[in-house]
Amino acid sequence: MSGSPSYLKGLNEQQLEAVTHGQEPLLILAGAGSGKTRVITTRIAWLINDMGFEPSSILAVTFTNKAAAEMSDRVQGMVSDAQGVMIKTFHSFGAWLLRRNASLLDMKSHFTIYDDDDVLSLLKTLFDEAPRNELRRYSRDISRAKDDCLQPDDDLSHINPDPSFNEIYRIYETRLRDIGNADFGDLISLPVKMLRESGELKKRIHQKFRVILVDEYQDSNGAQFQLLKELSGPDTWLAVVGDDDQSIYRFRGAEVKNILTFHESFPGTKVIKLEENYRSTGNILSIASSVVSNNSGRLGKTLWTRKGSGVKAKLFYSENQITEAQDCAENIMANSQYGETAVLYRTNAQSREFESTFRKMGIPYRLVGTLSFYSREEIKDTVAFLSFLSNSRDEVAFRRIINKPARGLGKVSLEKVFRYMLDAGGDLLEASKAALGGMKGKGAKGLTDFCRICDQLSEALGESATLAPYVDRVIRESGLLEYHRAQDEVDHSQKVRNLEELVTAADQYDGTMEGLSEFLELIELDQTMLEEEDNDPDRVTLITMHNTKGLEFDRVFITGMEEGLFPRGDEYADDDDIEEERRLFYVSITRARKELFFTSTRRRMLYGRTEDRYPSRFIDELPSELVDTIGEDSGPSGDFKPGTRLYHEDYGVGVVNKNLFNNGHTVLHVIFESGRTAVLMPEFCAHKLEKLGRAEWDS
């Protein structure tokens, strides 16, 4: 290959085959760390230089502006006249196509694109009486419908079973079209509509874009798949790059079936697998392959490397979340290359104990993709309420909580309270009570309720040994729990889990006013230390598993390996849920270059209550010869592990979905073939239970 262009040198056999593939549809299955970005950018350079394609005839689509910019920089570094290549995100390309052909839909080309807040505002004008959280739910469900290219007349029951949802969607869509603007979902669904309805436009697009390449194809949704189908003509050179084993965004609408069935949607597809990994050691890749091979919904590939085996992974069984964080910290300090270390967890709430422990032990860290635990909205709301209960002269805290959740107190009502503030010696609770004499209506009721709640909670302080039950009560009786739970339902956030973790943090303090003051002081000091942090890159990365996509570190700690936490889910979790969680585990494992650690706790405090935990079913899928175990699993009996098939005399055949250990008893959550679910305790119904083996989906 001595006469080859410089950009082709250094490619392995499979990469070169993918780069120089001809016209037939191409699916590049690119395993983690296999150099997929290099392949897709080099293919663009080869198409221009070697095959004579005009740069302007090439369309490359990806999912983030950052990825698009990186791809553009790489291509221009290989081909001097590559500026004409169109490299965009799916949505920016959709906006480009829509603006240039808006007249086909009776739209103006200068339409405004509505973001989530704009959509919510428009819904508010249409359904003024509906609560804001209900409108958020409508907004989310309309977006989901558009992600599937579904219209108001389609069957939407799988998105929202409410019979009125179709009409709500229709009213919203009619108003949006009347205004002449577009929301985010329209940037994909409307171009699909245009291309389907205008043969002339479709012909023109097919002639313009002779080459189409799609990166991260496993993350595409239903509408994006439909757009790709419409953009691709009989003579299009189509290539998609992706990894079915890294499809982890179903909650955003991603459809793993798009990549699994690509060869069916585009007959004659050539599949090329990139399996040589340039990132990780052999042991890490063997662990990853062993885990993901348990999924049935995959095309199949096995990663390998020339780097050698490397060291074994380590699995730590810790007593609880405190010792879990300490175990991680001690191993991190043994090799203080902090900048090459990452601690991964399934939910943001888990970061709190690591933040606290790392600060105590002097380990520098940075949080990626989220705020510091005590900077999150739901935590600041609760801390503000606690601060006001500790000091009713705290005006900042009062202003934050007086109308959260909404109590019908407007500007005029609050001005009345502040007029009494001086007479009350600055005490805003006393000022509120004084102001009630001149108030009526919603404001009076809301302020009365607020004063009653504060009085009751003030009297309750000191009733428990630790502060945790008190903080729990404050969260519930203040209305903050229901307020943030409603936000969770709409936004798929984890605010309630974070509130649970705040209760856990409070368990280390006495349930007295002194204990409350110490707790609030710790939080304030935490914020001060955060403000004083510099930009030192040599810090441990604390990050959720989802946010690690595309990142890599020398050392990776995968924490919280327990049923119900990872994999997440409840008794209603189905096979697809578990397979996606397993893909998330695979992504997490393949972030590590040299060292890999797993942690599982025997007990974990959740919402102020300590629960016995069962090790994650994924631990059973780790090859024992490649993992050193430190500590012993003292969880429940393994007779009925998750994934075990069983027969019950009354219910029939079922599969164990969860196996918990509570108060010395094994508790099984079982899904039966009839669709029924049941909670069983084997020691009390052993004569009715028969173990059948592992379920097919988990064997």
Side-chain angles (χ1 to χ4, degrees):
M1 207 164 64
S2 58
S4 300
S6 59
Y7 52 78
L8 294 181
K9 293 178 179 178
L11 296 175
N12 64 40
E13 181 180 346
Q14 289 72 33
Q15 289 174 332
L16 182 62
E17 183 183 7
V19 166
T20 58
H21 175 74
Q23 182 177 356
E24 295 79 12
L26 174 63
L27 169 59
I28 305 171
L29 277 181
S34 63
K36 71 174 182 63
T37 303
R38 181 183 182 187
V39 168
I40 197 170
T41 53
T42 305
R43 180 167 172 79
I44 294 173
W46 177 79
L47 289 166
I48 296 171
N49 270 3
D50 291 62
M51 300 306 293
F53 282 92
E54 288 294 327
S56 60
S57 71
I58 299 175
L59 169 65
V61 184
T62 187
F63 282 83
T64 67
N65 290 319
K66 180 181 178 182
E70 180 185 354
M71 194 182 299
S72 180
D73 289 343
R74 288 202 189 191
V75 171
Q76 291 184 42
M78 288 185 277
V79 182
S80 58
D81 60 345
Q83 293 90 341
V85 177
M86 181 174 287
I87 302 178
K88 290 182 175 291
T89 66
F90 261 110
H91 287 92
S92 63
F93 171 75
W96 174 89
L97 186 60
L98 192 54
R99 290 193 189 281
R100 280 154 183 77
N101 302 278
S103 60
L104 293 174
L105 298 175
D106 296 323
M107 293 176 66
K108 301 292 185 183
S109 61
H110 54 271
F111 61 82
T112 297
I113 300 170
Y114 280 0
D115 62 15
D116 291 346
D117 289 339
D118 297 324
V119 170
L120 200 60
S121 296
L122 179 57
L123 285 168
K124 186 65 177 174
T125 66
L126 297 171
F127 307 101
D128 186 48
E129 298 301 316
R132 194 168 184 84
N133 281 328
E134 189 174 329
L135 295 179
R136 284 185 182 276
R137 192 171 295 111
Y138 293 155
S139 173
R140 179 200 65 189
D141 291 344
I142 289 171
S143 176
R144 286 180 59 197
K146 292 189 177 187
D147 283 347
D148 287 339
C149 266
L150 296 175
Q151 302 302 314
D153 291 332
D154 293 321
D155 180 6
L156 304 174
S157 58
H158 65 289
I159 293 176
N160 189 323
D162 185 346
S164 65
F165 175 63
N166 290 66
E167 184 60 22
I168 291 166
Y169 182 11
R170 181 178 292 106
I171 292 170
Y172 165 82
E173 193 73 348
T174 300
R175 182 57 179 152
L176 187 60
R177 298 285 80 84
D178 289 343
I179 295 171
N181 288 336
D183 60 27
F184 214 58
D186 286 332
L187 300 182
I188 307 296
S189 61
L190 290 183
V192 171
K193 177 181 172 64
M194 287 193 312
L195 290 165
R196 286 176 175 171
E197 295 178 353
S198 174
E200 181 182 344
L201 173 63
K202 182 183 288 191
K203 180 180 178 181
R204 195 168 74 242
I205 290 298
H206 289 174
Q207 290 173 341
K208 176 174 176 55
F209 296 116
R210 296 179 56 204
V211 175
I212 299 176
L213 304 102
V214 183
D215 193 16
E216 301 286 6
Y217 186 63
Q218 78 279 348
D219 294 336
S220 60
N221 61 32
Q224 289 159 346
F225 165 74
Q226 296 295 338
L227 179 59
L228 184 61
K229 286 281 287 184
E230 298 301 324
L231 291 173
S232 301
D235 300 319
T236 303
W237 288 48
L238 173 64
V240 301
V241 185
D243 184 359
D244 50 333
D245 291 330
Q246 295 191 71
S247 180
I248 59 174
Y249 296 122
R250 188 158 67 120
F251 66 94
R252 295 180 186 169
E255 294 277 7
V256 69
K257 70 178 182 181
N258 288 351
I259 195 168
L260 296 178
T261 62
F262 182 83
H263 62 287
E264 299 171 7
S265 303
F266 299 92
T269 291
K270 171 73 172 179
V271 179
I272 297 176
K273 300 179 181 180
L274 304 183
E275 297 175 300
E276 181 175 358
N277 177 283
Y278 296 92
R279 175 187 301 156
S280 307
T281 64
N283 285 346
I284 291 171
L285 298 181
S286 294
I287 292 170
S289 295
S290 175
V291 166
V292 81
S293 66
N294 289 278
N295 275 0
S296 60
R298 63 190 297 260
L299 296 173
K301 61 184 174 307
T302 302
L303 297 180
W304 62 278
T305 183
R306 303 176 196 269
K307 286 180 174 289
S309 298
V311 299
K312 287 185 178 183
K314 290 184 173 63
L315 166 63
F316 288 89
Y317 284 109
S318 304
E319 183 63 27
N320 52 42
Q321 74 276 2
I322 297 174
T323 54
E324 174 188 47
Q326 291 171 346
D327 287 341
C328 290
E330 289 169 3
N331 279 275
I332 289 170
M333 294 181 75
N335 178 357
S336 58
Q337 293 180 350
Y338 301 131
E340 290 297 338
T341 302
V343 175
L344 280 54
Y345 35 80
R346 183 62 179 84
T347 66
N348 279 317
Q350 290 168 257
S351 75
R352 200 273 310 169
E353 193 62 56
F354 290 106
E355 291 181 64
S356 176
T357 298
F358 286 8
R359 286 193 179 282
K360 290 176 183 175
M361 299 182 71
I363 298 175
Y365 70 88
R366 64 188 181 109
L367 280 160
V368 173
T370 186
L371 295 169
S372 168
F373 181 80
Y374 292 113
S375 297
R376 295 166 189 163
E377 177 196 12
E378 61 278 12
I379 302 303
K380 294 186 78 169
D381 291 344
T382 307
V383 169
F385 215 112
L386 292 168
S387 296
F388 187 72
L389 292 169
S390 174
N391 175 17
S392 55
R393 292 175 173 79
D394 189 336
E395 183 178 342
V396 173
F398 177 80
R399 288 184 181 275
R400 184 175 184 99
I401 63 174
I402 187 60
N403 254 331
K404 201 169 192 180
R407 307 181 204 277
L409 291 161
K411 184 178 180 181
V412 174
S413 297
L414 291 178
E415 285 177 351
K416 289 180 180 178
V417 172
F418 287 112
R419 280 203 296 269
Y420 284 95
M421 186 175 170
L422 186 60
D423 292 340
D427 189 316
L428 284 162
L429 182 57
E430 293 303 316
S432 296
K433 294 174 181 177
L436 281 170
M439 294 174 63
K440 58 184 178 179
K442 286 184 179 180
K445 182 181 183 307
L447 195 57
T448 299
D449 289 344
F450 176 76
C451 293
R452 174 183 53 78
I453 291 168
C454 288
D455 284 340
Q456 290 175 347
L457 291 173
S458 295
E459 292 173 6
L461 186 59
E463 292 180 357
S464 54
T466 75
L467 197 60
Y470 181 71
V471 174
D472 182 6
R473 182 171 175 178
V474 169
I475 291 169
R476 292 175 182 277
E477 296 187 10
S478 65
L480 289 172
L481 178 62
E482 287 307 313
Y483 175 81
H484 289 297
R485 177 177 285 145
Q487 286 190 298
D488 277 355
E489 291 174 358
V490 174
D491 300 332
H492 298 287
S493 51
Q494 298 171 2
K495 294 178 181 293
V496 170
R497 284 181 177 266
N498 291 335
L499 291 172
E500 292 172 356
E501 189 60 26
L502 183 67
V503 174
T504 298
D507 192 61
Q508 300 177 41
Y509 297 85
D510 291 337
T512 61
M513 180 59 76
E514 290 73 19
L516 176 58
S517 297
E518 288 179 19
F519 184 49
L520 293 172
E521 181 179 316
L522 166 81
I523 295 170
E524 180 57 37
L525 289 175
D526 183 85
Q527 297 307 299
T528 302
M529 291 173 72
L530 276 177
E531 292 169 2
E532 292 175 354
E533 278 186 351
D534 57 25
N535 294 317
D536 181 6
D538 191 27
R539 291 184 282 167
V540 175
T541 297
L542 299 181
I543 188 169
T544 64
M545 296 175 183
H546 277 100
N547 280 329
T548 60
K549 186 81 177 293
L551 303 178
E552 55 186 77
F553 307 88
D554 282 351
R555 291 184 297 166
V556 168
F557 292 77
I558 300 176
T559 65
M561 296 285 297
E562 300 138 37
E563 285 295 310
L565 187 58
F566 187 55
R568 285 187 66 185
D570 52 28
E571 60 267 32
Y572 303 107
D574 58 21
D575 296 2
D576 290 339
D577 293 326
I578 298 301
E579 293 218 347
E580 175 139 338
E581 290 284 288
R582 189 177 284 112
R583 291 195 294 270
L584 184 58
F585 189 29
Y586 171 85
V587 168
S588 301
I589 292 169
T590 54
R591 299 310 95 196
R593 298 190 194 103
K594 300 177 181 178
E595 295 181 82
L596 187 58
F597 301 81
F598 307 99
T599 69
S600 179
T601 68
R602 300 181 182 91
R603 297 170 187 81
R604 189 175 291 271
M605 178 173 277
L606 294 173
Y607 214 0
R609 296 185 297 272
T610 298
E611 295 182 356
D612 295 301
R613 309 297 293 176
Y614 186 86
S616 168
R617 70 189 72 183
F618 296 154
I619 289 177
D620 288 340
E621 299 171 0
L622 300 174
S624 58
E625 71 276 10
L626 300 181
V627 181
D628 287 331
T629 300
I630 294 90
E632 294 183 3
D633 163 27
S634 61
S637 167
D639 288 345
F640 294 99
K641 293 182 178 179
T644 299
R645 295 176 70 248
L646 53 76
Y647 175 79
H648 188 280
E649 285 184 8
D650 298 332
Y651 302 134
V653 176
V655 176
V656 177
N657 187 60
K658 290 173 67 176
N659 182 329
L660 305 177
F661 192 61
N662 284 318
N663 298 319
H665 303 292
T666 297
V667 180
L668 307 180
H669 290 248
V670 184
I671 304 174
F672 290 94
E673 289 181 348
S674 63
R676 184 173 182 177
T677 62
V679 178
L680 307 174
M681 298 179 71
E683 64 185 288
F684 298 118
C685 61
H687 65 287
K688 291 188 174 186
L689 279 180
E690 178 185 352
K691 182 178 177 183
L692 300 179
R694 300 289 282 177
E696 291 182 5
W697 52 263
D698 207 35
S699 60

